[in-house]
Amino acid sequence: MSSKVSIMAKNELVVALVLSLSLFGFTSAGDPDILTDFVVPPNVNISNIDGNFFTFTGMRSILGSNPPTAFTVTKASAKEFPALEGQSVSFAVLQFPASSVNPPHTHPRGSELLFLIYGSLQVGFVDTTNKLFTQTLQAGDMFIFPKGLVHFQYNFNQTDSAVAVSAFGSASAGLVSVPVAVFETNIDDGILAKSFNTNVTTIQALKAGLAPPPTKP
């Protein structure tokens, strides 16, 4: 499995990056227009701007690397790549070990166009009428997650990994994880128990399950 992913990373991922970049025009519409060619952070002297400012090297470590042991996202948003500020685009590489999931979440400021380049994924989103739309993707398939809607991705394969790339219609699409927002933000246990029509003991058990295991001394 590792050798197959390495070959994919050196060849197909490069093609995927180029293709996803070409899709930015389709997804860009989330950020306000800017009145300059590009935006330079206040701490950068504009007279010193060169090609390095417009270059992001944070994806290099993915190429040829061994697959991760947990679901991993490598992002190129305005936070990691300041040249994206004002450009209404950002990018991410999603690596899914066997049987891993990207839990339900939303991107409040941008749509997401996912391109699966290796493996298979079950994906889906829920619209504002609470209708669920799902699909099983194979390598080469694309799926659009509309802006602000709850969605997920799941690698149901028990033995093989999956890799996808996503283009976002915002330089800072944002991320709201549903499990974290509900159970890890100090909302009162009584309120959650009433909201989910259960009891406080169940809510506390769910919270305990989400908490990371204690570190060994």
Side-chain angles (χ1 to χ4, degrees):
M1 180 180 70
S2 177
S3 61
K4 288 195 297 184
V5 175
S6 293
I7 293 172
M8 176 281 301
K10 292 179 180 178
N11 299 300
E12 297 177 11
L13 182 55
V14 175
V15 176
L17 294 176
V18 174
L19 177 59
S20 293
L21 288 171
S22 71
L23 295 170
F24 276 153
F26 177 78
T27 60
S28 34
D31 298 342
D33 288 337
I34 59 175
L35 301 179
T36 55
D37 294 335
F38 49 87
V39 177
V40 179
N43 61 334
V44 176
N45 187 341
I46 192 169
S47 63
N48 294 329
I49 292 294
D50 58 16
N52 290 319
F53 177 71
F54 302 99
T55 303
F56 181 72
T57 62
M59 303 292 181
R60 289 181 180 178
S61 60
I62 298 174
L63 300 178
S65 64
N66 292 326
T69 58
F71 170 68
T72 302
V73 180
T74 306
K75 296 189 299 181
S77 65
K79 180 179 179 180
E80 297 82 18
F81 189 11
L84 295 183
E85 191 66 52
Q87 301 301 322
S88 297
V89 295
S90 57
F91 186 82
V93 175
L94 289 70
Q95 297 173 279
F96 297 83
S99 301
S100 63
V101 64
N102 186 6
H105 61 280
T106 70
H107 303 293
R109 295 184 293 275
S111 56
E112 175 183 358
L113 183 59
L114 179 142
F115 176 39
L116 183 61
I117 60 176
Y118 181 81
S120 54
L121 287 177
Q122 182 180 348
V123 302
F125 70 87
V126 179
D127 72 5
T128 54
T129 69
N130 292 323
K131 182 177 180 180
L132 173 65
F133 298 84
T134 62
Q135 186 59 271
T136 299
L137 303 182
Q138 304 298 326
D141 294 346
M142 283 187 272
F143 194 85
I144 183 71
F145 301 102
K147 180 171 66 174
L149 297 185
V150 174
H151 61 280
F152 65 89
Q153 301 105 20
Y154 170 52
N155 179 12
F156 56 87
N157 192 297
Q158 301 295 308
T159 59
D160 205 0
S161 60
V163 180
V165 292
S166 287
F168 298 91
S170 170
S172 300
L175 173 68
V176 179
S177 169
V178 173
V180 172
V182 173
F183 295 107
E184 298 186 19
T185 54
N186 296 319
I187 298 176
D188 183 80
D189 289 348
I191 293 174
L192 292 177
K194 288 183 178 295
S195 299
F196 288 94
N197 194 27
T198 185
N199 52 60
V200 170
T201 301
T202 300
I203 295 298
Q204 291 175 344
L206 288 169
K207 288 184 174 182
L210 289 171
T215 57
K216 295 181 179 180

